[in-house]
Amino acid sequence: MKVRANILKLALFATGLSGIVAEYILSTLATYFLGDSVFQWTMIVSVMLFSMGLGSRLSRLVRGNLLGNFVAIEFVLSVLVSFSSLAVYSLASRTPYTGPLIYGLSIAIGILIGMEIPLVIRLNEAFESLRINVSSVMEKDYFGSLLGGVFFAFVGLPILGLTYTPFLLGGINFLVALLLYLMLRPELSQRENRYASFGALLVLLLWGGGLALAEPVILYGEQRKYRDKIIYQEQSRYQKIVLTSWKGDYWLYLNSNQQFSTRDEVMYHEPLVHPGMRLSPSSRNVLILGGGDGCAAREVLKYPEVEKITLVDLDPAVTDLAKTHPVLTEVNQYSLEHPKVTVLNQDGYQYIEETEEFYDVILIDLPDPRTVELSRLYSYEFYSLCKRHLRPHGVLVTQSGSPYFASKAFQCVRKTLKAADFTVVSLHNQIVTMGEWGWQLAVKTGSEEAVKEKLLTLDFDNVPTAWINQEAMQLMTSFGKDIFTQPGDSVRVNRIHDPVLYRYYLKGNWDLY
């Protein structure tokens, strides 16, 4: 009897691990396919917890053969969890409307998880008093959840990815069911044993077949998201990295969002780097926040007076790729291996908060602020820290998204920099593969008119640029009238405790993109 009680608790520990990771998988899928990570994680976890409550209520309807029903639940969970990612990617290859499937799986898996604990408590009541029974059952489930979280963060997502992690979890549910079935088998009739054996064999065949097909099916679903052929993909701890190719040109995507194309990346990186470098009277010490592809560093290295470049990018998978992949090393000219360049894989906010260095130029080449996490790196607090580490003559330039596709977000970045006591001049350029894109150039002293006048007089005769010249500066600093921000629109300063920027960004005119 004691052995059975311990097996039940071990099973609940394993299913607690599997259940919490199933929540994380579905939340990650929702973020990847539907966007807005905070909203999707909040809703998926809330929907699953609500569904677990429904499952607990439905468990009242289970009256006889509790162990048999528990085994059946584990078999069904094994299939649903294993095929969750596969099903979403398969649907994504046909239609962009994956939301109903993701949330439907959340509800179904949540209901089944919610039925587990009440059934185990009822099964275990013959072995322990109510006081010990309830606490020990809940304890094992919560302990399993902790291990599940650690597993997903350090092994599941960065190593196994969304391809194989669901099948590992489904395998855990299957092994739990199989162990309990073997324990139960002597008490079953010949007919019940036949049904249970058939069910176990069917689940095993489905699990094995799905595991064999997982990689090509998910690759096919991934490929349908992109117009061009995928030549490299990797799920890092932080993001999905994809390289595509078409007619001799290459595109880099992070979480499905284009970072650059080799066809026209100079039309992005040259405006990001050269106006600030030429405007600053000294550029010996340069900080690049983001820019893990190495293209911004390549442009900075064109200035012989530069003595030190510190590049801070969170994801080592990106910087490692930029150092080793032939497509990226060709485009960045091995800039990340240059002796003047120091690469640090660290959060940009944490770095600027802790560093004791002072910089002549700070270049911020981060992904668009489409999430709360990224919005933090476009905040008043962040820019105030940057100002503190910028020398009196220094220049800061940050990419700011599109002034037309996300006009309120663009204005928000400008207003936030001004709130941090910078003098700000906005820049923009038409990039063939990205559309109209923009930057904010900020200095510590002087008027906007004076800074703009200096920008218009810059020449690049002694810098080997591919696109930017003095004529380009006149185009980049001219906007005309603002026709996209409606009269009466108010744009707030983006602060850590009031992250408005990512909402402005997501509500942009992206249907025009």
Side-chain angles (χ1 to χ4, degrees):
M1 290 298 183
K2 188 69 173 175
V3 172
R4 178 178 289 193
N6 289 333
I7 291 175
L8 282 171
K9 291 174 186 176
L10 178 63
L12 204 59
F13 179 87
T15 56
L17 183 155
S18 178
I20 198 71
V21 179
E23 290 185 30
Y24 298 154
I25 287 172
L26 290 165
S27 298
T28 304
L29 286 168
T31 298
Y32 190 40
F33 286 98
L34 306 177
D36 196 346
S37 60
V38 172
F39 177 82
Q40 298 303 338
W41 276 79
T42 300
M43 292 308 300
I44 291 291
V45 171
S46 298
V47 165
M48 288 195 75
L49 288 172
F50 172 77
S51 302
M52 288 165 65
L54 289 179
S56 296
R57 187 174 186 85
L58 290 173
S59 69
R60 301 178 188 179
L61 303 177
V62 180
R63 297 184 180 277
N65 195 8
L66 298 180
L67 196 52
N69 279 287
F70 186 82
V71 169
I73 287 170
E74 293 307 305
F75 278 151
V76 177
L77 263 177
S78 175
V79 174
L80 286 180
V81 171
S82 295
F83 284 84
S84 57
S85 186
L86 205 61
V88 173
Y89 272 92
S90 298
L91 183 63
S93 68
R94 306 287 180 184
T95 173
Y97 302 108
T98 54
L101 176 60
I102 294 172
Y103 279 88
L105 285 168
S106 302
I107 292 169
I109 292 172
I111 287 173
L112 292 171
I113 292 173
M115 296 180 72
E116 290 176 325
I117 294 177
L119 289 181
V120 171
I121 289 175
R122 288 164 64 185
L123 283 163
N124 201 43
E125 64 185 1
F127 313 122
E128 294 177 337
S129 66
L130 180 63
R131 175 175 60 87
I132 297 175
N133 181 18
V134 173
S135 66
S136 61
V137 167
M138 299 300 290
E139 170 192 79
K140 301 302 183 294
D141 183 69
Y142 293 151
F143 287 174
S145 297
L146 173 62
L147 183 60
V150 172
F151 163 79
F152 186 76
F154 293 100
V155 179
L157 187 60
I159 298 176
L160 300 177
L162 294 175
T163 304
Y164 296 113
T165 300
F167 283 94
L168 178 61
L169 298 179
I172 291 173
N173 287 110
F174 177 74
L175 289 175
V176 166
L178 192 63
L179 179 63
L180 292 174
Y181 165 60
L182 293 175
M183 181 179 72
L184 175 69
R185 191 173 183 178
E187 303 174 20
L188 297 177
S189 67
Q190 188 175 5
R191 183 181 179 185
E192 288 172 331
N193 264 306
R194 193 162 53 246
Y195 284 144
S197 299
F198 176 77
L201 180 61
L202 178 62
V203 171
L204 183 60
L205 289 174
L206 287 171
W207 185 85
L211 185 62
L213 293 172
E215 188 168 358
V217 170
I218 287 181
L219 180 59
Y220 177 73
E222 189 76 54
Q223 180 65 72
R224 289 296 293 264
K225 295 178 64 181
Y226 301 94
R227 292 173 294 181
D228 310 318
K229 181 182 178 182
I230 294 175
I231 61 168
Y232 179 87
Q233 63 172 329
E234 176 185 357
Q235 175 66 61
S236 77
R237 181 179 172 185
Y238 303 101
Q239 58 204 335
K240 182 80 171 184
I241 307 165
V242 174
L243 266 175
T244 67
S245 171
W246 184 69
K247 291 187 176 181
D249 287 305
Y250 301 90
W251 280 255
L252 174 66
Y253 295 88
L254 299 180
N255 283 346
S256 302
N257 302 299
Q258 181 183 325
Q259 301 306 298
F260 73 79
S261 167
T262 56
R263 177 177 289 267
D264 56 10
E265 54 85 15
V266 293
M267 300 179 77
Y268 171 89
H269 290 108
E270 289 189 355
L272 169 73
V273 172
H274 294 294
M277 293 293 292
R278 293 290 289 117
L279 190 65
S280 177
S282 173
S283 52
R284 290 182 309 224
N285 197 5
V286 178
L287 172 65
I288 302 174
L289 297 171
D293 51 56
C295 294
R298 176 201 68 204
E299 296 301 314
V300 174
L301 286 167
K302 292 178 179 179
Y303 293 84
E305 64 269 25
V306 171
E307 297 174 0
K308 180 180 179 182
I309 301 170
T310 304
L311 187 146
V312 181
D313 192 287
L314 178 64
D315 195 346
V318 173
T319 53
D320 289 346
L321 191 69
K323 292 177 181 179
T324 57
H325 198 284
V327 168
L328 294 184
T329 55
E330 182 178 355
V331 73
N332 67 32
Q333 298 172 17
Y334 292 93
S335 62
L336 299 190
E337 301 283 14
H338 196 282
K340 290 184 179 180
V341 178
T342 300
V343 176
L344 301 175
N345 294 119
Q346 187 178 350
D347 175 70
Y349 194 104
Q350 181 186 10
Y351 176 82
I352 203 69
E353 193 173 36
E354 295 176 354
T355 185
E356 297 180 358
E357 292 266 1
F358 291 90
Y359 298 96
D360 301 297
V361 179
I362 297 177
L363 303 172
I364 303 175
D365 184 20
L366 295 164
D368 294 342
R370 56 175 46 87
T371 67
V372 170
E373 299 91 337
L374 286 168
S375 182
R376 171 172 164 264
L377 294 164
Y378 293 80
S379 66
Y380 165 81
E381 292 84 355
F382 178 69
Y383 291 143
S384 296
L385 287 169
C386 288
K387 188 171 187 287
R388 187 182 305 167
H389 290 281
L390 195 65
R391 290 199 171 103
H393 60 265
V395 181
L396 178 149
V397 183
T398 179
Q399 87 90 7
S400 306
S402 173
Y404 299 141
F405 297 134
S407 52
K408 290 188 76 171
F410 185 82
Q411 294 298 332
C412 178
V413 176
R414 174 183 170 86
K415 189 170 185 177
T416 303
L417 277 164
K418 294 180 80 170
D421 201 26
F422 277 107
T423 298
V424 184
V425 174
S426 298
L427 306 172
H428 70 122
N429 189 34
Q430 176 68 25
I431 302 170
V432 178
T433 61
M434 295 174 65
E436 196 74 19
W437 222 254
W439 304 261
Q440 310 292 346
L441 182 146
V443 296
K444 299 176 81 167
T445 59
S447 67
E448 183 177 340
E449 292 75 17
V451 174
K452 189 171 181 179
E453 187 175 336
K454 285 183 182 179
L455 288 171
L456 291 174
T457 62
L458 294 179
D459 69 75
F460 304 89
D461 296 339
N462 298 324
V463 185
T465 60
W467 176 81
I468 199 169
N469 57 18
Q470 189 174 26
E471 182 184 18
M473 289 306 306
Q474 297 179 33
L475 299 173
M476 288 165 52
T477 54
S478 301
F479 281 83
K481 294 181 178 180
D482 183 6
I483 62 172
F484 288 99
T485 304
Q486 299 299 317
D489 278 352
S490 60
V491 176
R492 302 211 306 269
V493 171
N494 185 52
R495 301 177 187 273
I496 288 180
H497 67 273
D498 185 23
V500 296
L501 177 58
Y502 89 100
R503 292 196 290 270
Y504 291 149
Y505 182 88
L506 294 176
K507 291 179 181 178
N509 304 312
W510 293 110
D511 54 334
L512 303 175
Y513 186 68

